[in-house]
Amino acid sequence: MAVVVSSNGNGPAFEAKMTIYVFVCVMIAAVGGLIFGYDIGISGGVTAMDDFLKKFFPAVWERKQHAHENNYCKYDNQNLQLFTSSLYLAALVGSFLASAVCSKLGRKPTMQFASVFFLIGVGLAAGAVNIVMLIIGRILLGFGVGFGNQAVPLFLSEIAPAQLRGGLNIVFQLMVTIGILIANLVNYFTATVHPNGWRMALGGAGIPAVILLFGSLIICETPTSLIERNKNEEGKETLRKIRGVEDINEEYESIVHACEIASQVKDPYRKLLKPASRPPLIIGMLLQLFQQFSGINAIMFYAPVLFQTVGFGSNAALLSAVITGSINVLSTFVGIYLVDRTGRRFLLLQSSVHMLICQLIIGIILAKDLETTGTLGKAQAIVVVVFVCLYVMGFAWSWGPLGWLIPSETFPLETRSAGFAVAVSCNMFFTFVIAQAFLSMLCGMRSGIFFFFSAWIIVMGLFAMFFIPETKGVAIDDVPERVWKPHWFWKRYMLAEDDHQDVEKRT
């Protein structure tokens, strides 16, 4: 058990151990990320399976058979894109419902609701006999994603000691990448199982959903959530249990103080509109925009389709997706190791340059060598796969996990659930936009789509350089004082809020 000290800056230091129980709680909760990743990864492989296309999208299957089909347009179909994107539109709505459940009932019940939605959605999607049943199943899966993605990162941030918060929170993103890898492996092996390989692939999400449902019965609620709901003694005992030390009074009082402030806020969404809430709100929303418009989900959703487009056969395309998925997982471990050592900003800035170079090289090769019909040469196709892998590597240790970590640790308690719900819903909205539009964009923009994403990477890198402050090692309830108030730009909002409060007191 590693002993860490969670410092809150000018205040007291909080002693804590990294206990086995906390590790178990983190791993069980992070299974929510596994299901999310599986749903991301499974879509691209299933939509490349002929049996699935013949049953639900026969027009796409017919077009795919044409020998001289336009390389960039053979999968361009709005209904096919809706199969993938409907999940994320439902998750957008689900995240707001989950915010209320998180606040009223706690993080743990919210995860249990997520697992129930997952199980029902899996049953409908895997057993679908028509497209309506298929889409309804995806929508229920979307509600599961909304509930899970709302509760899990908050749970991880609140249960972790401050000095280990970054690494433990990134376990969520690690499980997302493992879910994508498992989905790619399942797609690879079920592609040759006719005619129901796609049913096996879609049904596979039921396994982690069952693990989350029963595993959530043995994990604890977070002390913050318990104290926030006036269960102070239970919260204190839980805090003592997860920290592994007897002297938890200072941290307990800090949480109680934060909860007392939070209890004075009757409408957290209105509070989000106040000046002091704008720094974490703006950053949380823009992180989701940048995360999706970096191009990562376009690649992860449709990796098998993308590799087929550049000249790989169906099985080879699925195998290439497995390779990128493996790199995604391994690179996330790099993020876990570095995030609490180098800090958040360093990873964001480094990877922006890294991903930009990869996107530009991929775009140049496709613009130069991939015609409307025909395929890339073997050497060029391999180079494309290599740079896709390098691109995934850079994303996996930076913008992927930090897009979830930073919003979960920068909102004060009174707006934490509501603010994170806005961030999750933004993530789902922009994911929906990319999922619904990517194949049409690929058809219309061709290789130019990679230059489109490159332009966004430049914008997000500049934003990280000037507007995202460092939160490494800062206790979660000290972020306003230690992060926003000293920042060259965001401090104006904090000062405006202080002036507003002074006026109210005088009035």
Side-chain angles (χ1 to χ4, degrees), residues 36 91 106 141 186 255 267 288 432:
F36 181 38
L141 284 169
V186 170
I255 296 173
D267 187 349
Q288 311 314 313
F432 165 77

Side-chain angles (χ1 to χ4, degrees), residues 109-230:
T110 308
M111 287 186 271
Q112 291 169 334
F113 277 116
S115 62
V116 172
F117 280 124
F118 281 132
L119 286 171
I120 298 173
V122 165
L124 285 172
V129 295
N130 54 53
I131 193 168
V132 173
M133 190 173 173
L134 184 72
I135 297 299
I136 291 174
R138 292 287 289 178
I139 289 172
L140 288 172
L141 284 169
F143 275 94
V145 167
F147 273 67
N149 287 16
Q150 171 71 18
V152 173
L154 289 181
F155 177 89
L156 297 178
S157 285
E158 290 178 350
I159 205 172
Q163 298 300 95
L164 299 176
R165 188 175 65 242
L168 291 181
N169 192 285
I170 290 179
V171 172
F172 174 76
Q173 179 66 18
L174 173 65
M175 296 298 270
V176 172
T177 63
I178 292 174
I180 294 171
L181 174 59
I182 291 173
N184 289 333
L185 287 167
V186 170
N187 283 333
Y188 180 71
F189 288 109
T190 58
T192 56
V193 179
H194 304 290
N196 292 317
W198 63 271
R199 294 189 189 276
M200 297 169 62
L202 292 177
I207 298 173
V210 170
I211 295 173
L212 181 62
L213 178 62
F214 289 101
S216 63
L217 298 176
I218 65 173
I219 65 176
C220 65
E221 183 57 85
T222 70
T224 300
S225 178
L226 290 167
I227 297 168
E228 185 181 23
R229 291 179 289 121
N230 299 315

